[in-house]
Amino acid sequence: MTYVFRSPGRINLIGEHTDYNGGYVLPAAIDKYTYLTFEESDHFESHTSDLGKSIKFSIDARKEKDTWANYVKGAIFHLTKYVKKPIRPFKIDISSTLPIGAGLSSSASLMVGIIYAISKIEKLDLDRERVAQIAHEAENEFVGVNCGIMDQYAVSLAKKDTFILIDALDGHYEYVSAMGFPRITIVDSAVKHELASGGYNTRRNECARASEIIGMQFREMTVDLVESKRKILGENVYKRAKHVVEENQRVLDTISAIKDKNWEKVGDLVKKSHESLKNLFEVSTDEIDFLVDRINTLENVYGARMIGGGFGGSIIVISKSDVGTHLKEISADYKRQFGIEMKYYPVKLSSGVRKITLS
Ligand code: GLA
């Protein structure tokens, strides 16, 4: 028997670096996918056509040399902890239309996809939250990336044409309709981000320190309180804390603006989020800032900002009309300035991981 599953990538409209601080995020799944084909077998084996690599493996705590293989193995290894019966071996073929390492959660897409697929094939009684939590645990503990819950929740729980407001403090979530929402275009800076590398974890530690010094959850803090603690926090920790407190509020303001269909306001909040990620959280790069600045001057653009962990990756562009022609020009200037070829494509908000039938 062969089973095919489709697992999306995600964008995040607003709420960056808030999830691991018990804050709000507003992601959505996009119509770029990881496709997983499962075939029953007498051993575990996986092949990725994107990387042109194959591996045979057993389900144990031992790490493989190839990072991608650890995503596959780690997902299954952690799933076994929550399942009473042994998991039958499969041959798993991976291919994707989702760019890898572009800040669109290709790793969560793969891990959630694998756990969801096995839970369906084996008729395990796991709901979508559970699937996301297991994938999150596996990415933290097996792969060693200390990410928050946003990506796994988005990939697992998303619905077509909706954003998901996630309260990362307790995992509560609600759907926010994106009916009538303007166009969304993704610009891939082609600057590879590497979450496992230092920057992300340093920011996490700085935030934890702020919360510890102030003695409160970020959600209970006001900007005035953070301002009053500037000296004892020290400049860097103060800046990180201010970003988190203001970004949480921006997520709530964005929800109101979406409900009012006030796209100018949504764009304004998106721009403010970028400014804060650049100046306070300091996770943007020269390449990303060049692109965001240029895009934000376009007449038909409501707002653009970096998405995801930062240090490269992608930009979300919210616009009234098609931005393709302008992006073509910006792309040429970007190439002249940095010698890098950026990519861009429109996206639609899609549904979470699911089984599909090939026609
Ligand atoms: C990465 C992580 C998420 C989140 C974002 C920043 O995408 O995987 O959990 O922390 O960075 O908002």
Side-chain angles (χ1 to χ4, degrees):
M1 276 291 274
T2 301
Y3 312 86
V4 187
F5 291 81
R6 188 187 86 174
S7 188
R10 69 98 189 90
I11 52 169
N12 183 24
L13 181 58
I14 200 156
E16 220 64 89
H17 289 276
T18 45
D19 61 351
Y20 56 82
N21 289 311
Y24 302 113
V25 289
L26 194 55
I30 52 171
D31 56 347
K32 298 276 172 203
Y33 307 102
T34 307
Y35 291 92
L36 299 163
T37 306
F38 280 71
E39 209 180 300
E40 284 160 15
S41 171
D42 58 0
H43 62 279
F44 278 103
E45 185 175 344
S46 188
H47 171 74
T48 154
S49 30
D50 303 311
L51 305 175
K53 289 187 169 179
S54 294
I55 187 172
K56 284 186 184 165
F57 58 96
S58 50
I59 302 305
D60 50 43
R62 200 175 49 83
K63 304 273 156 53
E64 301 296 327
K65 273 197 281 335
D66 280 331
T67 314
W68 75 271
N70 284 325
Y71 287 104
V72 179
K73 179 170 169 169
I76 305 172
F77 178 66
H78 278 264
L79 174 61
T80 57
K81 294 189 181 179
Y82 296 88
V83 178
K84 302 221 167 55
K85 56 180 183 178
I87 289 173
R88 280 181 300 152
F90 291 99
K91 231 171 127 183
I92 308 168
D93 191 74
I94 307 162
S95 66
S96 69
T97 55
L98 175 67
I100 295 169
L104 302 173
S105 290
S106 51
S107 54
S109 173
L110 176 57
M111 296 184 99
V112 167
I114 286 174
I115 294 168
Y116 179 84
I118 295 179
S119 82
K120 284 291 156 200
I121 300 167
E122 297 290 69
K123 300 194 172 48
L124 308 174
D125 191 20
L126 296 177
D127 59 31
R128 285 176 177 267
E129 285 95 320
R130 200 65 175 147
V131 168
Q133 286 155 4
I134 299 171
H136 178 247
E137 181 190 290
E139 186 151 355
N140 276 227
E141 292 178 17
F142 201 94
V143 181
V145 177
N146 209 8
C147 58
I149 193 72
M150 167 169 74
D151 306 346
Q152 294 78 11
Y153 261 53
V155 170
S156 191
L157 295 158
K159 287 191 179 163
K160 199 171 183 300
D161 297 326
T162 58
F163 291 102
I164 319 170
L165 169 64
I166 304 165
D167 179 344
L169 196 58
D170 58 9
H172 177 85
Y173 59 91
E174 57 186 76
Y175 294 101
V176 178
S177 168
M179 285 299 262
F181 197 84
R183 280 168 197 252
I184 304 176
T185 306
I186 294 301
V187 173
D188 177 358
S189 71
V191 176
K192 289 275 173 213
H193 81 139
E194 198 32 271
L195 271 192
S197 70
Y200 187 85
N201 286 339
T202 313
R203 296 304 181 280
R204 269 197 88 133
N205 294 338
E206 287 168 336
C207 290
R209 219 174 128 54
S211 187
E212 195 185 298
I213 294 173
I214 299 182
M216 264 183 202
Q217 296 270 14
F218 278 98
R219 286 266 286 281
E220 300 161 14
M221 297 180 202
T222 60
V223 178
D224 285 348
L225 177 69
V226 175
E227 292 292 350
S228 73
K229 304 282 182 191
R230 186 167 182 164
K231 266 226 164 75
I232 28 167
L233 290 176
E235 201 53 17
N236 276 353
V237 174
Y238 152 76
K239 286 201 278 188
R240 312 304 184 235
K242 189 172 180 197
H243 165 79
V244 176
V245 173
E246 290 181 338
E247 185 80 351
N248 274 332
Q249 187 56 46
R250 276 192 286 269
V251 176
L252 301 179
D253 293 346
T254 303
I255 304 281
S256 309
I258 292 175
K259 288 188 177 149
D260 294 344
K261 301 210 181 307
N262 186 343
W263 312 128
E264 302 284 348
K265 176 88 185 164
V266 170
D268 201 45
L269 290 158
V270 161
K271 285 183 195 161
K272 289 207 169 93
S273 171
H274 186 80
E275 281 305 300
S276 182
L277 288 160
K278 175 184 168 190
N279 298 322
L280 296 178
F281 219 71
E282 298 179 289
V283 287
S284 192
T285 65
D286 291 347
E287 295 88 346
I288 297 274
D289 291 338
F290 173 93
L291 292 171
V292 167
D293 289 350
R294 286 287 302 272
I295 295 167
N296 274 333
T297 61
L298 299 176
E299 211 232 306
N300 57 345
V301 166
Y302 289 114
R305 70 172 195 90
M306 55 152 277
I307 47 174
F311 309 105
S314 294
I315 292 162
I316 181 172
V317 183
I318 317 291
S319 67
K320 276 179 214 147
S321 50
D322 184 42
V323 280
T325 328
H326 300 296
L327 289 180
K328 217 173 182 170
E329 281 167 30
I330 294 176
S331 170
D333 293 346
Y334 183 64
K335 178 124 198 245
R336 259 193 299 280
Q337 178 95 2
F338 296 102
I340 307 171
E341 199 92 49
M342 68 171 224
K343 294 187 196 80
Y344 55 92
Y345 39 89
V347 290
K348 296 232 177 315
L349 304 191
S350 188
S351 49
V353 58
R354 64 183 168 97
K355 187 167 184 285
I356 56 168
T357 34
L358 290 182
S359 48

